[in-house]
Amino acid sequence: EVQLVESGGGLVQPGGSLRLSCEASGFSFSLYWMNWVRQPPGKGLAWISRINSDGSTTQYADSVQGRFTISRDNAKNRLYLEAKSLSNDDTAVYFCVRGGMSVRSWFDPWGNGTLVTVSS
Amino acid sequence: DIQMTQSPSALSASVGDKVTITCRASQSVSMWLAWYQQKPGNAPKLLITKASTLDGGVPSRFSGSGSGTEFTLTITSLQPEDFATYYCQQYSSSSVTFGGGTKVEIE
């Protein structure tokens, strides 16, 4: 069974940092683009970052460019998101999502998400 | 970035009704459009890819159509388990974007 499990969320103060992790199983992780999508409480979905299969190409939404860093460890089947200079606007559930073997692909499956709360 | 506009943002319907949700793109995304269903407290679930291809296991009462800038998701004979929020997503450009969502509520 294809599975994605996020961890690392929690309460962080404004200006602080956090590292999210996503453990993948049930598929050949090293072959796929991977994404992070977030959803503020009660609001819609927003793609924030993706990384190609070998980690050599990364892309970011304008809202997180320069503050967030996506990375992966194919030997450990893990995806990461380093988030810095956090503000209240970054409060959201963060989903780890598999893309395709090429960049132009739908997102499936999704992890259950990890909640990041930015508050003093 | 390509803007995706869904309408309506919410609708009320009864079991057995036919429901149509529209998604418009600010520029052509060809057929690179997906639809997702999300229930409260759960992750989104993929329904449709390439504008009209049903994902495996998705009931045939769901269908998608359109290309370019205008797309529709249709649910024929709405079932109790279909009450949820639906999102469109374009994956044509390097910056993926989602529509704002359509909440389908029980009338």
Side-chain angles (χ1 to χ4, degrees):
Chain A
E1 179 194 4
V2 176
Q3 199 168 9
L4 299 168
V5 179
E6 303 92 338
S7 61
L11 178 64
V12 60
Q13 291 191 335
S17 302
L18 208 59
R19 188 193 199 202
L20 305 182
S21 179
C22 170
E23 183 173 6
S25 60
F27 67 102
S28 297
F29 179 73
S30 64
L31 298 182
Y32 288 83
W33 283 76
M34 294 296 296
N35 300 267
W36 288 99
V37 175
R38 69 183 181 184
Q39 184 171 37
K43 296 188 178 181
L45 303 167
W47 170 82
I48 55 172
S49 186
R50 65 181 165 195
I51 187 168
N52 71 336
S53 57
D54 66 6
S56 60
T57 299
T58 58
Q59 295 171 341
Y60 300 91
D62 290 345
S63 59
V64 305
Q65 179 76 50
R67 299 188 300 122
F68 288 18
T69 302
I70 190 172
S71 62
R72 66 191 295 161
D73 185 335
N74 286 344
K76 295 182 178 179
N77 285 352
R78 283 189 177 266
L79 176 72
Y80 303 101
L81 185 70
E82 191 88 36
K84 299 181 178 180
S85 302
L86 289 164
S87 72
N88 293 342
D89 291 344
D90 297 312
T91 293
V93 174
Y94 285 72
F95 294 101
C96 167
V97 196
R98 190 181 72 174
M101 294 186 184
S102 64
V103 63
R104 182 177 280 161
S105 180
W106 54 89
F107 291 179
D108 182 62
W110 297 58
N112 286 330
T114 186
L115 176 62
V116 173
T117 303
V118 183
S119 175
S120 54
Chain B
D1 291 359
I2 299 175
Q3 306 303 314
M4 306 301 291
T5 303
Q6 280 184 241
S7 60
S9 56
L11 64 91
S12 295
S14 300
V15 173
D17 284 354
K18 177 180 178 181
V19 166
T20 299
I21 299 168
T22 298
C23 179
R24 289 187 173 88
S26 59
Q27 63 189 74
S28 177
V29 299
S30 185
M31 62 178 179
W32 308 116
L33 185 109
W35 289 97
Y36 301 86
Q37 176 194 67
Q38 187 179 31
K39 297 181 180 179
N42 288 352
K45 173 191 170 187
L46 178 67
L47 295 177
I48 288 172
T49 66
K50 294 183 182 177
S52 61
T53 302
L54 226 57
D55 195 41
V58 175
S60 59
R61 62 181 179 272
F62 290 90
S63 65
S65 65
S67 65
T69 62
E70 188 152 340
F71 303 86
T72 59
L73 171 69
T74 300
I75 312 171
T76 57
S77 189
L78 200 65
Q79 296 302 299
E81 60 268 30
D82 300 336
F83 292 96
T85 300
Y86 294 84
Y87 294 92
C88 62
Q89 174 212 30
Q90 68 79 18
Y91 51 96
S92 171
S93 75
S94 60
S95 186
V96 170
T97 46
F98 291 88
T102 296
K103 187 173 184 179
V104 177
E105 299 175 300
I106 301 173
E107 189 166 46

